[in-house]
């Protein structure tokens, strides 16, 4: 039986991560994961049979797509326009751009 190469194992790992990403993303979009609910890394790692580090990378990818927000835990967001920026942030941005 031929030994699997590192490339094969990396590809399988990437395919597994993509499948987990799609499963969580679909659950958020279809509201099977409620907006505001905590997504615990340890629980997700156990459900999907991967390490917390792998789950953390997937959650970061979901955050880049604005499907979850990352604080102490990942939280699904409700679909819609982004929340308005506080006036203080806008004043600071205007002040820095004028300087």
């Amino acid at each position: 039986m031929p030994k699997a190469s590192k490339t094969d194992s990396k590809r399988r790992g990437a395919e597994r991560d993509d499948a987990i990403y799609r499963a969580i993303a679909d659950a958020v979009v279809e509201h099977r994961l409620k907006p505001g609910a905590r997504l615990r890394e340890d629980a997700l790692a156990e459900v999907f049979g991967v390490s917390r580090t792998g789950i953390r990378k997937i959650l970061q990818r979901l955050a880049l797509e604005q499907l979850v927000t990352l604080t102490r835990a990942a939280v699904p967001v409700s679909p819609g326009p982004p929340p308005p920026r506080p006036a203080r942030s806008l004043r600071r941005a205007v002040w820095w751009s004028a300087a």
Side-chain angles (χ1 to χ4, degrees), residues 10-58:
K10 284 185 180 182
R11 185 177 63 235
R12 281 194 305 272
E15 289 171 357
R16 181 198 61 220
D17 290 352
D18 285 343
I20 295 169
Y21 169 85
R22 283 191 306 275
I24 297 173
D26 289 346
V28 170
V29 170
E30 296 170 3
H31 292 278
R32 287 181 278 133
L33 291 172
K34 303 290 185 211
R38 286 186 49 169
L39 302 179
R40 293 184 19 228
E41 290 176 2
D42 57 340
L44 290 171
E46 186 176 325
V47 166
F48 290 106
V50 296
S51 69
R52 286 181 60 193
T53 303
I55 290 295
R56 196 172 299 121
K57 289 178 183 178
I58 292 165

